[in-house]
Amino acid sequence: MEKTQEYNLSLTMDLNSLFNLNTFIELLLGISLSAAAGFRVFVPLLALSVASVFGHLDLPTNFDWVETPQAVIVFAVACFLEITGYYIPWLDHLLDIVATPAAFIAGTIVTASVAPEMNPLAQWTLALVAGGGTAGLTQGLTNILRISSTGVSGGLTNPVVSTIELLIAIGLSVLALALPVVAGVIVIGFLIIAIQRIWNFFLNKPSSQTHETVSPSRELG
């Protein structure tokens, strides 16, 4: 009985902590960094690590490993390898396949790391939905753009797309740490566009395939 009461009290405190200004700002920071992870997985992780090492952010104790110089070095090397890989023809498509689940994981981690102190179940549920979902949607849109770029130019314009993605990832990470509210508003608007684009992509795909199937029969007739 006492354990049940303690759990209910803890849950009530967690729910109360979700509805205040500081939590709202922290959530905007989390989804902004998660959106950046959808463009480049390790850029926001590197930015988060550097910011915490220099004292700009105070992360929860279970994320102390992010606040170490060793983590900065690891994220910097991983970031360099990721950026370089996107400029190698056809390797960028392979990276997109790997980056999709990686972005989801990175988005979940960064959102959990900046979330307020709460019950672990509530913390990671919030991180999965808000952070992982945001990173997944962003990564899904970048995949569609890369497919379209390859279809139009045979991959010649992919380096341009990669550069734009990198600049967005860097700019969004820096803006999230400096002005999380502004970054969050931009990300929310971007997510609305991303959902529409992804929905239209999958909605129009079957119709285009049907058109291609029907057209030869008409020519034969």
Side-chain angles (χ1 to χ4, degrees), residues 1-56:
M1 184 67 179
E2 293 181 358
K3 290 183 177 180
T4 302
Q5 291 177 345
E6 290 177 0
Y7 176 79
N8 291 335
L9 179 60
S10 175
L11 183 60
T12 301
M13 293 176 62
D14 290 339
L15 290 175
N16 290 334
S17 67
L18 287 175
F19 299 99
N20 61 67
L21 181 60
N22 289 334
T23 300
F24 179 69
I25 294 176
E26 289 169 345
L27 181 59
L28 291 179
L29 171 60
I31 64 172
S32 299
L33 291 174
S34 299
F39 290 101
R40 286 295 177 273
V41 173
F42 291 104
V43 167
L45 288 171
L46 176 60
L48 182 67
S49 184
V50 171
S52 62
V53 166
F54 282 94
H56 182 72

Side-chain angles (χ1 to χ4, degrees), residues 116-200:
E117 293 287 348
M118 61 177 67
N119 182 283
L121 178 61
Q123 178 187 17
W124 286 102
T125 300
L126 177 65
L128 281 169
V129 174
T134 299
L137 283 172
T138 307
Q139 180 64 37
L141 182 60
T142 60
N143 289 346
I144 291 174
L145 293 176
R146 196 172 303 281
I147 291 172
S148 302
S149 172
T150 302
V152 172
S153 66
L156 294 177
T157 59
N158 284 7
V160 177
V161 175
S162 297
T163 301
I164 294 174
E165 291 173 351
L166 175 60
L167 292 176
I168 293 176
I170 295 174
L172 193 55
S173 297
V174 173
L175 184 62
L177 294 170
L179 300 170
V181 175
V182 176
V185 171
I186 293 174
V187 167
I188 291 173
F190 173 79
L191 290 178
I192 295 175
I193 298 174
I195 292 172
Q196 292 176 340
R197 293 293 179 86
I198 294 174
W199 175 264
N200 291 334

Side-chain angles (χ1 to χ4, degrees), residues 39-75:
F39 290 101
R40 286 295 177 273
V41 173
F42 291 104
V43 167
L45 288 171
L46 176 60
L48 182 67
S49 184
V50 171
S52 62
V53 166
F54 282 94
H56 182 72
L57 291 176
D58 184 19
L59 304 183
T61 54
N62 55 331
F63 286 95
D64 284 342
W65 58 274
V66 178
E67 302 183 50
T68 61
Q70 293 85 353
V72 173
I73 295 173
V74 171
F75 287 140

